[in-house]
Amino acid sequence: MLKRMLTGGGLGAALSLIPTLAMAAGDKAEALIVVADTRVLTGVQLYFADLYNENMMIFAVWSVVLTTFMGVVLGALMDLIMKHTGIDLTKRSLVEH
Amino acid sequence: MDIWTMHMPISGVDIFWPGLLLIGFSVGCIGGFFGMGGAWMVTPGLNILGFPMAFAIGTDIAHIAGKSMISTRRHAKFGNVDYKLGVIMIVGTMIGIEMGAQVVMLLERLGKVESVVRWVYVALLALIAWLVFADYFKAVKADKAAAAGGNAEHKAGSGGINWAPTLHKIKIPPMVHFNVAGIYCSMWLPIIVSWLTGVLAGFLGIGGGLIRMPALVYFIGAPTHIAVGTDLFEVMISGLYGAFTYSLKGRIEMVAVFVMLCGAAIGAQIGTVATKYAKGYGIRILFGCAVLACLCSIILKEFKYNTIATVIVLGSISIISLVICKIMIGGAINEIREKKAGIVAPESAH
């Protein structure tokens, strides 16, 4: 029980530090005040530009979800294409440290 | 607006989209091959395209997260990702980055810190480049000596710099088996190494892939391919969180992320599959060249030669991407030819 609690606590503490890991990957960013010009936009672009102007939290959630979705879909699509190349994609033949 | 430009809905500018595709492709290629995010390569490219710099870092990080996801998936299929090692290292990296960032803030309160950080970065990159090339030449010398002395037991490439066996002798419990990487060591070794690389990354304000990959090889003793895959796993996790925080600050242009990701999806496959045909030392030597290019660009930027710095970064990533493409295409053609001829490739080992 104590081991589980310690593991859980450690994991929680580690997760709480993730922001610094991510934010270190660039200059420290301040919030940007930009209003997207929605007059020239239509459809999906209009939806996301509106979201950007009105609710940044949902916009941020959408950004992560869509990036993940794109990563997964493009990865799967490329897997499909690579399978047809005839290359063995499960092992390496070169042996070296 | 013609067919070659695309409207960015948030920033309101029109961007030459094949340029974004090309940046994504090159960085995907290089990142998949070396196991790093490659933010230092993207920003100059976006700058050239006229992309608003306020959105560059966030867009870059989101694209790196997506791209690392594609590369990690492919590396995992090759058995190049040690998740246990990756998760343990994330803990050390996060604590280290937090501490490194605190040091920078402390220095900022004391005075001008930017130049100090830049020169520390230069020194570190020079050290990494020296390490990579010295290791290579030492291994080549050992191979030649073994060949001249008729030593049949000598394994090619085994005579280079390798501090890991000495560090593995430190038996502070708990001892852990990292089965994928084939390492048995104290759990404190990856924690301390990742903590140190984290402190440096936090201090320098970078993602850290550039430091972590060689650290995994030289200090922890991970084979180069495992180091590349495991590092990408870390980049993926940090990148996703980075995408979230930068989006919250309004510094992301999702349309550009998607276009770059389309290029990166192809590049990442090429870069990752190329590791199948490249020897560990081949990867490290090319990595050393990339580090040298990064080093030159930082020095030039310090002396305000921004245009030459951009040319060097873009020129070097083009050349390195082409070399990686050549390795992948050449290797694939050989493999397919051998398959048709009925030659079975030996089983992989790390």
Side-chain angles (χ1 to χ4, degrees):
Chain A
M1 184 66 183
L2 181 70
K3 200 177 169 187
R4 269 190 198 167
M5 280 171 70
L6 282 172
T7 313
L11 201 65
L15 287 174
S16 67
L17 285 168
I18 282 184
T20 52
L21 174 66
M23 284 186 286
D27 296 333
K28 299 287 170 276
E30 299 299 324
L32 191 69
I33 300 159
V34 169
V35 179
D37 184 3
T38 52
R39 291 169 302 177
V40 290
L41 303 172
T42 53
V44 182
Q45 286 203 347
L46 177 63
Y47 171 74
F48 282 107
D50 273 337
L51 213 55
Y52 181 89
N53 290 340
E54 288 158 17
N55 195 335
M56 204 63 94
M57 176 56 89
I58 298 177
F59 177 79
V61 172
W62 264 118
S63 300
V64 175
V65 170
L66 288 175
T67 303
T68 311
F69 179 75
M70 281 285 283
V72 171
V73 168
L74 285 172
L77 188 72
M78 290 311 295
D79 268 0
L80 215 64
I81 296 169
M82 294 299 285
K83 262 183 198 163
H84 289 91
T85 56
I87 304 169
D88 183 351
L89 298 167
T90 54
K91 61 175 185 278
R92 278 184 284 116
S93 51
L94 277 174
V95 182
E96 195 205 16
H97 186 75
Chain B
M1 194 169 69
D2 58 67
I3 56 161
W4 299 109
T5 56
M6 189 178 258
H7 185 70
M8 299 289 126
I10 309 294
S11 53
V13 293
D14 294 332
I15 295 287
F16 179 65
W17 64 265
L20 290 177
L21 212 60
L22 202 65
I23 291 174
F25 174 82
S26 308
V27 178
C29 224
I30 293 173
F33 194 72
F34 297 136
M36 59 186 182
W40 62 275
M41 299 180 272
V42 180
T43 317
L46 290 178
N47 197 5
I48 289 270
L49 290 177
F51 197 85
M53 282 298 106
F55 294 91
I57 297 165
T59 305
D60 183 14
I61 287 180
H63 145 258
I64 281 170
K67 177 209 77 172
S68 303
M69 205 174 281
I70 299 166
S71 301
T72 306
R73 184 188 165 108
R74 172 64 59 217
H75 272 290
K77 285 187 179 166
F78 281 134
N80 288 350
V81 184
D82 194 320
Y83 290 106
K84 194 171 169 185
L85 180 60
V87 169
I88 287 177
M89 286 191 75
I90 283 173
V91 178
T93 306
M94 285 184 298
I95 297 168
I97 283 183
E98 173 64 26
M99 291 172 81
Q102 294 295 329
V103 172
V104 171
M105 280 189 263
L106 185 79
L107 285 176
E108 266 172 355
R109 267 178 245 134
L110 295 175
K112 199 180 172 188
V113 72
E114 208 173 282
S115 191
V116 176
V117 168
R118 207 167 263 188
W119 283 114
V120 170
Y121 197 10
V122 165
L124 184 75
L125 291 177
L127 186 73
I128 294 171
W130 170 81
L131 189 63
V132 168
F133 290 113
D135 173 36
Y136 174 72
F137 289 117
K138 195 178 167 213
V140 169
K141 209 173 156 188
D143 287 352
K144 278 183 184 165
N151 183 0
E153 300 219 331
H154 176 80
K155 255 173 78 181
S158 62
I161 294 171
N162 197 359
W163 296 314
T166 313
L167 295 170
H168 290 177
K169 284 177 191 158
I170 303 167
K171 308 270 186 204
I172 303 170
M175 298 297 286
V176 191
H177 277 286
F178 295 107
N179 295 331
V180 180
I183 304 165
Y184 177 64
C185 65
S186 166
M187 196 170 87
W188 295 104
L189 177 61
I191 290 179
I192 290 171
V193 169
S194 58
W195 173 73
L196 283 171
T197 55
V199 169
L200 279 169
F203 181 74
L204 300 171
I206 58 170
L210 209 63
I211 316 170
R212 227 170 15 241
M213 199 283 259
L216 271 159
V217 173
Y218 295 111
F219 296 119
I220 296 180
T224 312
H225 297 83
I226 309 286
V228 170
T230 307
D231 195 18
L232 275 169
F233 171 66
E234 278 205 50
V235 171
M236 176 186 82
I237 292 175
S238 59
L240 276 177
Y241 195 88
F244 181 73
T245 51
Y246 276 88
S247 302
L248 266 184
K249 289 176 178 134
R251 287 175 173 265
I252 200 164
E253 186 65 88
M254 283 311 289
V255 173
V257 173
F258 294 153
V259 177
M260 283 162 79
L261 261 181
C262 289
I266 303 166
Q269 295 296 324
I270 292 176
T272 311
V273 176
T275 61
K276 177 178 152 80
Y277 307 113
K279 289 183 177 178
Y281 270 107
I283 298 174
R284 286 191 234 170
I285 286 295
L286 264 180
F287 177 78
C289 295
V291 169
L292 279 181
C294 183
L295 174 70
C296 290
S297 79
I298 291 166
I299 293 174
L300 288 166
K301 269 185 197 163
E302 177 66 23
F303 293 108
K304 310 286 175 212
Y305 292 110
N306 290 346
T307 314
I308 307 172
T310 306
V311 169
I312 285 183
V313 170
L314 295 182
S316 57
I317 65 170
S318 306
I319 294 167
I320 294 170
S321 303
L322 285 174
V323 172
I324 294 170
C325 288
K326 187 182 170 291
I327 293 171
M328 190 267 174
I329 294 167
I333 290 172
N334 276 342
E335 185 183 329
I336 293 165
R337 197 179 291 151
E338 281 172 5
K339 256 188 193 169
K340 280 183 183 165
I343 304 165
V344 182
E347 279 292 318
S348 73
H350 307 306

